[in-house]
């Protein structure tokens, strides 16, 4: 009996010591010398691994920053200016102050604005539906309403509004990680500056068809009439392929374009209500079409 | 008699060939035609007519652009109203030539007589050129330009021409009735293709559920050298190119390669007929036989219609638009495309219109996969559809490629057979699209 | 045209077969064996089967309705199958509360915990059975002597060992195979085929089970791969050892018709969810099951090895699926 115990103890100890020695040498042999600053930078980053920076994860981003030695073209949208400033301080670099961005849905083809003409019966993924056909409303540019963007969002910043059939951006949660922009097979989402007091003006449509066919599918489509382009005093609006686009960096948020838009496809967010006088002066449509609200 | 067939997989959906007895009916010309510029696989043709131009039946109105493309001819006489976008069968808007039709006047040089022209006068090169000029494409549905199939690369030897008269899709009868009414023309077309390919053997494969067509063509082949008719087991997808080659010659097209590798070229019976018309009659491909059928259809018919005819025009002539129409399908029920609008025009590849009542239109609710492996035993390519459909939502593209997602021929057998009603093919299609893009970028690098 | 057209990807037609139909075919196939068990054990059999089925369905319903708060899918019949199979794998005199525990374990732990139908790696009925066998060894290995309805009691004994149990005990007592086989408690082959033997509810009659299996083949619910490879392997393995030493090892036919072999081979190894998908994989699975069954029967401490063999091979199923791909076209 004693013998068995003794043998077991000796055998196990022997195995343990051998393994320890092997492990030690292996660890020496395969030692990876890493810049300790990578760990520091990684600790500052939010750790969401969302890929919004364009790298595989926060670690990869930290490695890239340390390797690059400057902060040009490197930005963590989630951590924002505070995180980037802190990283800059640690590495002794200069961080450029960047305007915070937010995802914006450039489609208002809700179930009422763009009435469904067919029924879709298949897997609930936009990627497949986009390959299959033009969409329930017939608009080949508009939102398919199957929520690939919602699935892609890691920050609970998107949800599907059942009443409109469109995704809604929750402003406080959105970190502009770009995931929804990449997930949407039609490229409807755009990252735009958050704007002063969160006020934003944008064209809620990416339909490049001519006026008549666009309007046939959706009441609030941009028909490329160019009225907003003429109205804008700051050259912020361009018209390419029958589609108006408002440059957020030139736009002064005067809201005049929204008033002249005949289809109400220009959206204004978080503005105080208009003074009545102004509304009367410009011949605005009596009943503005419902605009996607943002929480 | 043991019928020839392919070995792996396959399903047997109810055949429902209701319109089989209906003779080909010539439809009068509609007032307006919408001729899409993209009726074939590859680059859309470029329009060479302008708004207001007068066109004659058979006149070239759009020229092929690039290597894989095909000419398009005016299917009617009339005036070009405009060249504009129209919702085609894909559900997306594509450019089409709008023609207001007048009385039919054929372009000069086209033989419109009903006589059968039997002697093949043209040489090999002239035949291929003529097929190219007349805009002949594969009529089975894939619409691959036929003249490209005829151009055999250096060093490749072709032994067999295979004529596909299988028509394994349920409901469809357009090839069947064509074989019955234009049998001799099809065989002349086959001889022309044999001459162009330089082969001395051609096999016509027909599913055993068309005994009249098998008997008819077998009798006719007595007059033709080197053409044999083979009855094939009724099994879907018997008419798939790879499955048909396997059934008739026992050869397997290697994964990722063209049928050419097995020394075979496959053409549809409709293509053979179009080749006959193009070469012997100088007639461009501007009309085809389209089956109108389905459980919602008031009448089951086989129409001979001009390309560009709106689909609703065909339905009107088949007893009118049914009130309970739930799904409108271009092609057969297994591989056809659900249409967004009945205004879409007939193209060179439209073999049939299937009108499904609302009760049949909805899919069954999706249940859990019970790993019954029926999709595996049904897959004619020996794939694991359940696995591919699992990998795709997880974005596991490498795994999907390793499990040969690109081999899928999209026959739909897996989704058909699934007792849980899982949309396997939908996910596989999505995966093929993604993996295909990944492979293309890799090749570029 | 009054309604909106439906858009979906091809194919647009679907088989009329469904999960429900498959499950109900299996239930239907088990009816002959159920009737045999009722014939031999009377109300006890009704009690066991009834309690087991009701408990399985109820547990699944409660979990789906109140725990997962999702769709309730008890009408697909899979819980009923688990219930019947569990009942088939226990002795007829098992107390009701034990069978309820077995049902709860089978459905809650072995099935629903993994995500419900189609996601369980192990056959739930077998997991339930093995759980009971380990937890309640006494109750689970005391088999009542079958008392056919309308027949006078042949013997006064209330319980007895199964043929395999007799074999194991005989080996332990160093008896030769002839001595074991001449034991008055050992039923002859005809009796075993028809069902005059001691055993769990479902293993009584090989013939009744085979009738059901034939029906499943006809309905294409099962394919030949697993049953044939399983049976052939077991037979071959038993035959080799029988030929080597016929005084110690029982003959292959005995192993085939006794115990849970037929039940396991046709009803449990063929379970779609837990068996491999490709034909090659299924054959490997069957061979593995056959080998393990006979190894446990010959040299294990339990007289019967079917449940353990199938469960062990269930664990290998994902690996087999990965290693044995179907024959690809054009490769």
């Amino acid at each position: 009996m004693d013998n068995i115990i003794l043998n077991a103890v000796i055998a196990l100890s022997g195995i343990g010591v051998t393994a320890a020695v092997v492990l030690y040498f292996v660890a020496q042999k395969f030692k990876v010398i890493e810049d300790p600053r990578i760990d520091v930078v990684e600790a500052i980053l939010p750790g969401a691994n969302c890929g919004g920076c364009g790298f595989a994860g926060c670690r990869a981003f930290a490695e890239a920053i340390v390797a690059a030695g400057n902060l040009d073209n490197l930005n963590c949208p989630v951590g924002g200016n505070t995180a980037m400033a802190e990283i800059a301080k640690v590495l002794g670099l200069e961080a450029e102050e960047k305007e915070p961005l937010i995802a914006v849905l450039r489609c208002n083809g809700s179930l009422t604005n763009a009435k469904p003409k067919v029924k879709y019966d298949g897997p609930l993924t936009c990627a497949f539906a986009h390959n299959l056909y033009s969409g329930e409303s017939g608009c080949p540019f508009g939102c398919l309403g199957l929520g690939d963007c919602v699935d892609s969002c890691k920050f609970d910043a998107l949800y599907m509004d059942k009443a409109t059939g469109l995704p809604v951006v929750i402003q406080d949660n959105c970190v502009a990680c770009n995931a929804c922009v990449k997930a949407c097979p039609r490229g409807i989402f755009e990252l735009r500056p958050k704007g002063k007091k969160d006020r934003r003006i944008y064209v809620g449509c990416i339909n490049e068809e001519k006026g008549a066919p666009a309007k046939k599918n959706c009441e609030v489509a941009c028909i490329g009439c160019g009225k907003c382009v003429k109205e804008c005093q700051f050259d912020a609006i361009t018209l390419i392929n029958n589609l108006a686009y408002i440059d957020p960096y030139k736009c002064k948020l005067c809201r005049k374009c929204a008033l002249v838009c005949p289809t109400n496809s220009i959206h204004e967010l978080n503005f105080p209500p208009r003074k009545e006088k102004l509304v009367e002066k410009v011949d605005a449509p009596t009943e503005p079409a419902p605009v996607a609200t943002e929480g | 008699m043991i019928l020839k067939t392919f070995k792996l997989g396959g399903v047997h959906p109810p055949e429902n060939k209701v319109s089989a007895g209906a003779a080909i009916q010539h439809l009068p010309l509609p007032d307006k035609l919408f001729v899409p510029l993209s009726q074939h696989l590859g680059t859309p043709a470029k329009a060479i007519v302008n708004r207001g131009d007068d066109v004659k039946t058979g006149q070239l109105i759009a020229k092929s652009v690039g290597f894989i493309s095909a000419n398009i001819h005016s299917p009617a006489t009339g005036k070009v109203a405009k060249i504009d976008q129209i919702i085609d069968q894909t559900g997306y808007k594509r450019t089409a030539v709008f023609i207001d039709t007048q009385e039919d006047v054929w372009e000069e040089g086209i033989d419109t007589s009903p006589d059968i022209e039997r002697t093949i006068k043209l040489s090999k090169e002239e035949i291929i050129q003529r097929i190219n000029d007349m805009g002949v494409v594969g009529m089975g549905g894939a619409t691959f330009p036929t003249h490209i199939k005829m151009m055999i690369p250096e060093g490749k030897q072709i032994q067999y021409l295979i004529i596909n008269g299988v028509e394994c899709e349920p409901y469809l009868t357009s090839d069947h009735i064509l074989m019955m009414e234009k049998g001799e023309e099809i065989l002349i077309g086959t001889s022309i293709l044999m001459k162009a390919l330089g082969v001395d053997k051609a096999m016509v494969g027909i599913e055993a559920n068309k005994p009249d067509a098998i008997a008819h063509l077998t009798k006719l082949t007595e007059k033709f050298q080197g053409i044999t008719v083979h009855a094939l087991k009724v099994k879907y997808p018997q008419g798939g190119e790879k499955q048909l080659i396997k059934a008739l010659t026992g050869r397997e097209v290697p994964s990722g390669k063209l049928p050419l590798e097995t020394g075979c070229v496959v053409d549809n019976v409709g293509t053979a007929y179009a080749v006959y018309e193009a070469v012997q009659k100088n007639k461009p491909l501007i009309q085809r036989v389209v089956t109108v059928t389905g459980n919602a259809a008031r009448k089951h018919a086989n129409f001979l219609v001009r390309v560009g005819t709106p689909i609703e025009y065909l339905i009107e002539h088949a007893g009118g638009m049914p009130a309970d129409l739930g799904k409108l399908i271009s092609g057969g029920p297994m591989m056809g495309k659900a249409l967004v609008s009945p205004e879409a025009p007939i193209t060179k590849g439209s073999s049939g219109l299937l009108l499904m009542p609302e009760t049949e239109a909805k899919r069954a609710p999706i249940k859990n996969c019970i790993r019954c492996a029926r999709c595996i035993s049904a897959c004619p390519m020996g794939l694991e559809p359940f696995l591919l459909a699992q990998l795709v939502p997880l974005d596991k593209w490498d795994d999907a490629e390793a499990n040969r997602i690109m081999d899928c021929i999209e026959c739909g057998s897996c989704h058909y057979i699934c007792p849980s009603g899982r949309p396997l093919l939908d996910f596989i299609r999505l995966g093929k699209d993604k993996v295909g893009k990944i492979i293309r970028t890799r090749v570029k690098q | 045209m009054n309604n909106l057209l439906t858009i979906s990807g091809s194919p647009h037609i679907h088989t009329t077969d469904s999960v429900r139909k498959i499950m109900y075919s299996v239930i239907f196939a088990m009816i002959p064996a159920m009737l045999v068990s009722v014939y031999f054990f009377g109300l006890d059999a009704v009690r066991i089967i009834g309690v087991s089925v009701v408990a399985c369905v109820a547990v699944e319903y409660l979990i789906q309705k109140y725990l997962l708060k999702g769709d309730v899918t008890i009408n697909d019949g899979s819980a009923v199958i688990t219930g019947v199979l569990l009942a088939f794998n226990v002795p007829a005199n098992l107390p009701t509360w034990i069978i309820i525990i077995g049902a709860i374990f089978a459905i809650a732990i072995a099935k629903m915990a993994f995500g419900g139908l189609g996601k369980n790696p192990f056959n739930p009925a077998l997991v339930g059975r093995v759980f009971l066998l380990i937890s309640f060894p006494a109750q689970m290995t005391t088999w009542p002597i079958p008392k056919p309805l309308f027949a006078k009691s042949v013997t006064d004994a209330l319980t007895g060992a199964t043929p395999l149990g007799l074999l194991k005990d005989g080996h332990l007592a160093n008896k030769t195979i002839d001595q074991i086989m001449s034991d008055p408690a050992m039923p002859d082959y005809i009796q075993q085929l028809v069902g005059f033997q001691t055993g769990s509810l479902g293993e009584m009659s090989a013939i009744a089970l085979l009738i059901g299996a034939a029906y499943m083949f006809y309905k294409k619910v099962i394919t030949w791969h697993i049953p044939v490879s399983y049976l052939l392997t077991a037979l071959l393995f038993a035959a080799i050892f029988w030929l080597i030493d016929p005084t110690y090892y029982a003959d292959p036919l005995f192993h085939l018709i006794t115990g849970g072999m037929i039940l396991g081979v046709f009803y449990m190894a063929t379970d779609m969810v837990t068996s491999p998908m490709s034909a090659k994989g299924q054959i490997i699975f069957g061979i593995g099951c056959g080998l393990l069954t006979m190894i446990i029967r010959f040299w294990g401490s339990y007289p019967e090895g079917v449940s353990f063999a199938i469960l062990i091979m269930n664990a290998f199923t994902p690996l087999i699926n990965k290693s044995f791909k179907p024959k690809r076209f054009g490769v």
Side-chain angles (χ1 to χ4, degrees), chain A residues 67-87:
Chain A
N70 62 59
L71 292 179
D72 304 344
N73 303 322
L74 290 167
N75 182 39
C76 171
V78 183
N81 287 327
T82 40
M84 290 312 290
E86 213 175 314
I87 292 169

Side-chain angles (χ1 to χ4, degrees), chain B residues 252 325-327 333 363 374 429, chain C residues 3 6 8-10 12 17 330:
Chain B
E252 277 186 17
L325 183 64
K327 207 185 225 177
R363 286 178 175 177
R374 287 186 185 187
R429 273 215 188 91
Chain C
N3 22 272
T6 302
S8 60
S10 64
H12 304 285
D17 224 347

Side-chain angles (χ1 to χ4, degrees), chain C residues 101-291:
Chain C
I101 288 176
I104 293 173
F105 195 86
I107 295 292
I109 308 290
K111 186 176 174 194
M112 298 314 289
F114 290 97
L117 177 63
K119 297 180 177 158
N120 48 304
F122 299 103
N123 188 325
L126 281 180
V127 173
R129 193 247 162 167
V130 168
F131 173 75
L132 292 183
L133 184 65
I134 295 167
S135 310
F136 309 99
Q139 289 92 329
M140 284 293 286
T141 48
T142 316
W143 285 276
I145 303 278
K147 254 187 246 161
L149 292 175
F150 327 112
K152 279 180 191 156
S153 179
V154 196
T155 158
D156 293 335
L158 286 173
T159 60
T162 61
L164 281 172
L166 290 172
L167 186 67
K168 202 86 191 177
D169 293 343
H171 285 323
L172 289 177
N174 280 327
K175 289 186 196 165
T176 66
I177 202 77
D178 288 333
Q179 286 169 324
I180 297 169
M181 288 297 168
S182 55
D183 187 314
M186 182 67 94
D188 63 30
Y189 288 172
I190 301 296
Q191 284 176 322
Q192 289 190 15
L193 271 176
V194 180
F196 289 94
Q197 59 175 327
T198 333
S200 299
L201 277 184
E203 354 178 293
M204 300 302 293
S205 164
I207 288 177
L209 289 169
L210 285 174
I211 292 170
Y215 177 75
M216 288 199 290
F217 273 117
Y218 167 71
K219 278 281 178 187
K220 295 195 176 126
V221 174
I222 58 175
T223 55
W224 61 268
H225 305 87
I226 292 177
V228 169
S229 58
Y230 193 157
L231 283 179
L232 276 184
T233 310
L235 272 179
L236 211 67
F237 197 76
I240 290 170
F241 283 90
W242 178 62
L243 287 173
I244 291 172
D245 186 0
T247 56
Y248 183 79
Y249 295 102
D251 64 291
L253 195 62
F254 173 82
H255 280 293
L256 178 66
I257 56 175
T258 187
M261 188 66 116
I262 303 286
L263 180 66
V265 166
F266 289 101
Y267 294 82
M268 290 186 294
T270 54
D271 174 26
M272 289 168 169
V273 177
T274 54
S275 61
M277 317 261 297
S278 71
K280 252 182 281 174
Q282 289 178 351
I283 289 171
I284 300 289
F285 179 87
I287 292 173
C289 284
L291 284 179

Side-chain angles (χ1 to χ4, degrees), chain C residues 5-23:
Chain C
L5 289 177
T6 302
I7 301 293
S8 60
S10 64
H12 304 285
I13 48 172
H14 303 285
T15 172
T16 51
D17 224 347
S18 66
V19 172
R20 239 173 110 173
K21 279 191 188 168
I22 292 175
M23 295 298 171

